[in-house]
Amino acid sequence: MSGASTVTRLIDQEAIRHRVEELAEAIAGTITGELTIVVLLKGSFMFAADLVRALDRRGLAPRVEFMRLSSYGLGKESSGLVRLIGDHPEGVAGREVLLVDDIQDTGRTLSVAQNMLLGLGARRVWTCVLLDKPSRREVDFAADFVGFEIEDVFVVGYGIDFAEAYRHLPYIGTVDR
Ligand code: IMP
Ligand code: MG
């Protein structure tokens, strides 16, 4: 899409690649037992694809499930409502679950998703986000594994969109808020 917004690079591909390996190392060293990864769509698809391959290199063989929650409309501000779109993920009951999301902002999405998965019988729900904006937090929630802490800027790329554009970018950049 060619719009009025310009994208300024914030985190390049090499930094992402390196950090994903470190996250996989930390996850592999922490989670034991039968693992199901629940990927929150759509924003974390690229991150999750890289993360599961990094976990494979460390001998993990997770089941991979997907869950779609909606909290954002087409704008840049959260509606404050989080709801499930489509079916619940399977293979959660009695297992260790790693919930993977792109960004932790207010914290509502991860908190709601974690409760849903516990309600489906997960033994424990770990959380992993590529990006964290701690200054934006509105509910008390800290992810177990965090790629990068960033300021309160609106980011796109590496799976993350603005009005469905920019997901394809291999790096993370900022657009004017
Ligand atoms: P939370 O429920 O407020 O923590 O919102 C998390 C979700 O908001 C993320 O999964 C993203 O979909 C979206 N989001 C938060 N910040 C950004 C951003 O800077 N760019 C694009 N989406 C964002
Ligand atoms: Mg999202």
Side-chain angles (χ1 to χ4, degrees):
M1 192 182 83
S2 59
S5 310
T6 35
V7 179
T8 308
R9 281 173 196 254
L10 182 68
I11 307 174
D12 69 20
Q13 292 175 75
E14 186 51 30
I16 295 170
R17 195 196 61 73
H18 185 252
R19 190 65 186 131
V20 167
E21 293 299 328
E22 290 180 341
L23 286 173
E25 192 70 30
I27 290 163
T30 305
I31 306 180
T32 53
E34 295 235 287
L35 177 63
T36 294
I37 291 185
V38 175
V39 179
L40 286 185
L41 293 173
K42 302 178 190 174
S44 65
F45 82 94
M46 207 178 277
F47 173 43
D50 285 340
L51 186 64
V52 295
R53 283 176 288 188
L55 290 171
D56 172 79
R57 287 191 276 280
R58 287 158 182 85
L60 270 69
R63 177 175 179 145
V64 182
E65 292 283 331
F66 300 88
M67 187 158 112
R68 185 147 178 225
L69 296 176
S70 165
S71 70
Y72 272 54
L74 291 181
K76 292 178 185 169
E77 289 298 325
S78 172
S79 67
L81 284 172
V82 178
R83 63 190 179 87
L84 178 69
I85 300 176
D87 296 332
H88 286 294
E90 306 204 352
V92 164
R95 295 174 67 110
E96 302 283 312
V97 173
L98 178 68
L99 186 53
V100 174
D101 202 7
D102 52 357
I103 307 175
Q104 189 177 19
D105 191 47
T106 65
R108 282 198 197 92
T109 304
L110 277 188
S111 148
V112 168
Q114 187 183 53
N115 284 329
M116 279 182 190
L117 295 168
L118 288 170
L120 292 172
R123 194 182 322 145
R124 172 152 185 180
V125 181
W126 305 83
T127 51
C128 175
V129 289
L130 180 64
L131 305 174
D132 186 9
K133 299 181 187 174
S135 68
R136 297 264 305 165
R137 201 75 82 250
E138 287 173 22
V139 301
D140 184 21
F141 195 96
D144 298 299
F145 306 96
V146 173
F148 302 92
E149 283 195 0
I150 60 170
E151 304 293 313
D152 180 14
V153 287
F154 196 86
V155 294
V156 296
Y158 196 64
I160 302 163
D161 76 310
F162 170 41
E164 294 303 326
Y166 307 115
R167 290 194 199 276
H168 57 91
L169 295 176
Y171 55 87
I172 292 165
T174 57
V175 290
D176 298 335
R177 214 182 155 99

